[in-house]
Amino acid sequence: MIARPLTLLLGVAAGGAWGWWRGSLPLTLGGAVLGALCWFLWDMARAARLLRWLAASDGDRVPRLSGLWGELMERSRKRFRALEQKAQGSEARLQDFLSAVQASPNGVVLLDAQSRIEWSNQTAAQHLGIDPQRDIGQYVRNLVRHPNFGAYLDGGNFSQEIEIDGPGHRPTQPRKISLQVHPYGEQRQLVLTRDVTAVQLADAMRRDFVANVSHEIRTPLTVLSGFVETMQSLPLDEAERQHFLGLMSQQALRMQTLVNDLLTLSRLEGSPAPGASEWVAVQDLMQPAVQESQGLSAAIAHPVHQIEVVTGPSMHVAGNRGELFSAVTNLLSNAVRYTPPGGRIRAGWRLPGDGSCELFVEDTGPGIASEHLPRLTERFYRVDRSRSRETGGTGLGLAIVKHVAQRHGGQVKIASELGKGSTFSIVLPPTRLRKDSAVA
């Protein structure tokens, strides 16, 4: 390494000039060659410094160079800085894109040409039961072992999506995942997944609902048709004719009740939740409902039921008066229909101590087995279908009660024991309650 190349070069040049002045040609040429060699070595040293800077990972320690190598270094440094800024911008956009894909409700999996996982978002990992970090590079067939999926990949026809069982799938708790492959790039594949469990359950509920409605309406229609045919084809005396007309009236009333309940459910599902602008006194809800239930008991039970009103603290509820009255009436109607004649029914309201309010109906009926309790609020679900039809029930009353409670921010609680009766409660939140002194 030459410490002071410029001084040495000047010395050699001076020696060559002295040789020329003394008339010695060899000395002159030697000095010139030595000077050129020194210049070359000095230039190579600067080039080596530039190369070391280019190869170093620390781009901030810039060597001090002049001349051509200094200009080349400065231009390279500016170009590197521009490329680095561009790479940082591309990396930021890529991270934004990946973050957006991570937030997608649909699953996304990228596969290479050999169907190995290159990348997966968290949603797809949950849908397919894979680990988005640990399973990178694994063959997707080894992780998703559903036979339909393997046949789908082998077939190569990806125009339609397929459905497979999701992780944790059980007959009592089904989980279905819809999956479709989209080829892209050089034999790569994009797999999109989505959870369709809720959609399938809704479709199943819709089919069951239509089937139940059809069955419930077909039965009274069949009875009516039979009575009409009988009255048209057979000579009947006045007593027989009145008997058949009474039975026909019962079936027509049953269909009318069913249609009214269906319309009530449709209105509850299709209208916005009631606000807090209307305040209803709880006593004004309970007293008329109890009077209606006493009339129903007098019509269908002999002896009549003992119906008692249990008054709680004087208070008001924020909500829709008609909906709340319908819910309480349905609870009392069920109690009257399913409690043996002469049984005892208690209806009222109370404060359990957590700030909420319970509108409750207790009966001394036969009770309900525990396995039926979670499904009682389903539409058309009956513990005893024959008993329900005998008492004129439609199977929609508790479904209406549940919708009313949910629309008021509450819930339905059911407690029952075989042979000891049942208690049905509508629990309303504190935000829907006001003491009378607080109501303007």
Side-chain angles (χ1 to χ4, degrees), residues 54-73:
L54 292 175
S57 59
D58 187 5
D60 294 334
R61 300 181 61 181
V62 181
R64 298 181 60 183
L65 298 175
S66 60
L68 178 62
W69 294 115
E71 181 67 20
L72 179 61
M73 183 198 65

Side-chain angles (χ1 to χ4, degrees), residues 177-198:
I177 303 299
S178 175
L179 179 149
Q180 188 169 12
V181 174
H182 299 271
Y184 78 99
E186 297 181 359
Q187 298 183 345
R188 282 178 164 80
Q189 293 173 333
L190 170 70
V191 183
L192 299 180
T193 65
R194 59 190 180 97
D195 194 330
V196 295
T197 305

Side-chain angles (χ1 to χ4, degrees), residues 196-277:
V196 295
T197 305
V199 176
Q200 289 202 350
L201 290 177
D203 289 340
M205 291 178 60
R206 189 179 300 110
R207 290 192 298 268
D208 292 342
F209 178 71
V210 172
N212 284 325
V213 170
S214 302
H215 176 74
E216 294 294 333
I217 292 180
R218 186 185 299 116
T219 301
L221 281 178
T222 302
V223 175
L224 282 173
S225 299
F227 287 152
V228 170
E229 183 179 353
T230 299
M231 295 183 67
Q232 289 177 339
S233 59
L234 296 178
L236 301 174
D237 57 28
E238 184 62 22
E240 292 175 331
R241 192 174 69 84
Q242 291 298 327
H243 174 68
F244 283 125
L245 287 176
L247 294 176
M248 293 170 65
S249 176
Q250 291 179 3
Q251 297 301 320
L253 180 62
R254 179 181 172 187
M255 282 195 299
Q256 182 180 1
T257 304
L258 177 62
V259 170
N260 289 337
D261 285 349
L262 289 172
L263 292 175
T264 299
L265 273 176
S266 177
R267 179 177 54 81
L268 291 175
E269 293 178 343
S271 60
S277 58

Side-chain angles (χ1 to χ4, degrees), residues 74-93:
E74 185 63 25
R75 293 191 180 187
S76 300
R77 189 172 64 85
K78 291 181 179 180
R79 179 62 59 88
F80 291 156
R81 182 175 298 175
L83 291 176
E84 182 180 0
Q85 292 177 350
K86 185 176 180 180
Q88 290 176 352
S90 300
E91 179 69 19
R93 288 192 294 271

Side-chain angles (χ1 to χ4, degrees), residues 209-360:
F209 178 71
V210 172
N212 284 325
V213 170
S214 302
H215 176 74
E216 294 294 333
I217 292 180
R218 186 185 299 116
T219 301
L221 281 178
T222 302
V223 175
L224 282 173
S225 299
F227 287 152
V228 170
E229 183 179 353
T230 299
M231 295 183 67
Q232 289 177 339
S233 59
L234 296 178
L236 301 174
D237 57 28
E238 184 62 22
E240 292 175 331
R241 192 174 69 84
Q242 291 298 327
H243 174 68
F244 283 125
L245 287 176
L247 294 176
M248 293 170 65
S249 176
Q250 291 179 3
Q251 297 301 320
L253 180 62
R254 179 181 172 187
M255 282 195 299
Q256 182 180 1
T257 304
L258 177 62
V259 170
N260 289 337
D261 285 349
L262 289 172
L263 292 175
T264 299
L265 273 176
S266 177
R267 179 177 54 81
L268 291 175
E269 293 178 343
S271 60
S277 58
E278 180 183 359
W279 291 92
V280 184
V282 179
Q283 185 173 359
D284 292 344
L285 289 175
M286 200 61 64
Q287 290 290 354
V290 169
Q291 292 175 1
E292 282 196 13
S293 65
Q294 290 172 341
L296 177 63
S297 176
I300 66 174
H302 302 285
V304 297
H305 299 89
Q306 303 175 33
I307 303 177
E308 175 188 356
V309 178
V310 181
T311 58
S314 181
M315 62 191 330
H316 284 65
V317 176
N320 185 287
R321 179 188 296 269
E323 293 182 12
L324 293 171
F325 179 75
S326 174
V328 175
T329 302
N330 273 291
L331 292 182
L332 279 165
S333 174
N334 281 346
V336 170
R337 293 178 189 277
Y338 293 102
T339 301
R344 184 181 179 186
I345 299 173
R346 300 172 70 247
W349 68 97
R350 58 194 172 201
L351 302 179
D354 58 355
S356 62
C357 176
E358 288 187 10
L359 310 179
F360 67 92

